Amino acid sequence: MQKEFIKNVVTDLFSIPAYSHRIVRSKFTKVALENIEVSLTPLHFEIMVLLNEEGTLPVAKIGERLVLAKAHMTQLVDKLVENEIVIREADPDDRRVTRISITVKGKETLDKIHERVGCAFEKALSSLSEKDLKELTTSLSKIRNVLPKMI
């Protein structure tokens, strides 16, 4: 009985992040990206978020973290550099490595996108009933409390 229950939990743990990521990417991020000055995709947004959180990272590490091929990373970074969202820098310890950093313009653009995504979330959440909102809040709180216990 417990083994079957654990299998169901594993299935849910795999499905929830992917499902929520797809919803956020397609429904909210895409819409927010349509109305900014530069033409960006959700993958550009993910790179910007990662750099904002982590600071300067090598191109290879960004690709590894986002599970993107090096060829794809080059195209994505080129577009971000072209729009002055990020800059390329030579690694001072290894000149074969190129590091990427978000610029001030990139941070400002990211703030605008976050604000628009937040507004879209608020609008979507306002369509839920009070009961659904309470359930969602309780569920998210429980997930935040339980997941660290697995580590």
Side-chain angles (χ1 to χ4, degrees):
M1 172 90 170
Q2 185 173 359
K3 192 170 187 170
E4 189 62 35
F5 186 71
I6 289 173
K7 280 185 175 187
N8 290 336
V9 171
V10 168
T11 300
D12 286 342
L13 283 173
F14 275 122
S15 69
I16 290 172
Y19 183 66
S20 63
H21 189 259
R22 276 193 311 275
I23 289 172
V24 169
R25 182 186 264 188
S26 65
K27 190 162 187 155
F28 300 109
T29 306
K30 236 179 193 173
V31 171
L33 291 171
E34 288 174 357
N35 301 317
I36 60 171
E37 302 81 41
V38 293
S39 174
L40 301 175
T41 67
L43 285 175
H44 289 118
F45 175 70
E46 289 179 33
I47 292 169
M48 293 166 64
V49 168
L50 182 61
L51 289 172
N52 195 52
E53 290 171 355
E54 300 291 327
T56 302
L57 288 172
V59 175
K61 183 63 85 179
I62 297 168
E64 186 180 299
R65 296 275 297 273
L66 299 177
V67 192
L68 297 170
K70 185 174 180 167
H72 199 185
M73 278 301 306
T74 301
Q75 293 173 320
L76 291 166
V77 170
D78 284 349
K79 178 77 167 184
L80 290 170
V81 168
E82 177 186 314
N83 287 293
E84 301 175 340
I85 301 292
V86 301
I87 55 170
R88 285 187 174 97
E89 303 170 307
D91 188 307
D93 300 324
D94 187 347
R95 62 188 181 135
R96 297 171 296 171
V97 175
T98 301
R99 299 180 72 79
I100 308 298
S101 300
I102 193 164
T103 63
V104 172
K105 179 181 177 182
K107 288 181 181 194
E108 290 169 354
T109 303
L110 190 59
D111 287 344
K112 287 178 191 174
I113 296 167
H114 274 139
E115 185 177 326
R116 290 177 181 167
V117 170
C119 287
F121 266 125
E122 287 176 17
K123 185 177 179 181
L125 289 169
S126 68
S127 69
L128 296 177
S129 69
E130 191 171 325
K131 180 183 178 216
D132 285 342
L133 285 170
K134 284 180 182 177
E135 274 186 38
L136 181 59
T137 300
T138 301
S139 298
L140 292 172
S141 179
K142 286 179 181 179
I143 289 170
R144 262 194 319 276
N145 291 332
V146 172
L147 284 181
K149 294 177 183 179
M150 294 173 24
I151 300 173

